[in-house]
Amino acid sequence: MTVLLTAGLVAGCGADTASDPGASAGSTSTGSASPSPSTGPVDSTVLALISQTAVGGRVDPHPTVLDSRAAVEQFAGRFRGGLLQGRLQQVLAKADLGDGRVPVAAVVAVGCDVPKAVDVQRTPDGLQVTAQPVRSPLPECLAPVTTVAVVAVPSGAV
């Protein structure tokens, strides 16, 4: 019984995962596209939610603009191993941002659960990207999973 429980936890948390970019790509947050409101939802498109096991990092809702290779390298430098940087570069290479939009990335979760969606809000503290709550959180896991949201936002939002 213990072996089966442990195997289930490893399968649920220990595997490297990435959300299906096709499921998230093109999705936009519901919100106003009005020019520069001081607070509230931001018109955004989720390019990908990248999840990787045991790479470290800290949740930080304040996104980093990924407008150059150097910016991607600096953002990815906070994680162990080089896999996350390669995955970020792949997402950005395939991204169709459109005029006046820039890609940003934020660590939205570190733990047992992998979020399926994010919210993008303008707050008094600036732009914030946060994970939506997971419906059925896992009680525990053997290795934490770091999830990075890559989102296209209007350049005036950052």
Side-chain angles (χ1 to χ4, degrees):
M1 178 78 166
T2 303
V3 173
L4 291 175
L5 180 59
T6 303
L9 290 174
V10 171
C13 274
D16 294 339
T17 60
S19 69
D20 178 8
S24 297
S27 64
T28 57
S29 69
T30 56
S32 171
S34 63
S36 301
S38 59
T39 61
V42 173
D43 177 31
S44 61
T45 304
V46 175
L47 301 174
L49 294 174
I50 302 171
S51 297
Q52 189 74 41
T53 302
V55 296
R58 288 184 315 138
V59 173
D60 184 358
H62 299 95
T64 299
V65 176
L66 300 180
D67 58 354
S68 68
R69 186 174 199 80
V72 172
E73 289 173 4
Q74 184 175 10
F75 179 79
R78 62 181 86 177
F79 307 105
R80 290 189 288 271
L83 291 176
L84 200 58
Q85 180 176 337
R87 293 172 79 182
L88 283 168
Q89 289 171 338
Q90 288 174 346
V91 167
L92 295 172
K94 295 177 183 178
D96 181 17
L97 298 174
D99 290 338
R101 296 178 77 77
V102 294
V104 299
V107 178
V108 296
V110 177
C112 297
D113 301 308
V114 176
K116 302 281 187 225
V118 297
D119 293 315
V120 182
Q121 300 277 328
R122 185 177 284 111
T123 71
D125 293 333
L127 189 65
Q128 292 192 358
V129 180
T130 55
Q132 291 181 0
V134 174
R135 288 185 188 210
S136 299
L138 297 171
E140 63 181 284
C141 59
L142 298 177
V145 178
T146 301
T147 301
V148 173
V150 184
V151 183
V153 298
S155 58
V158 291

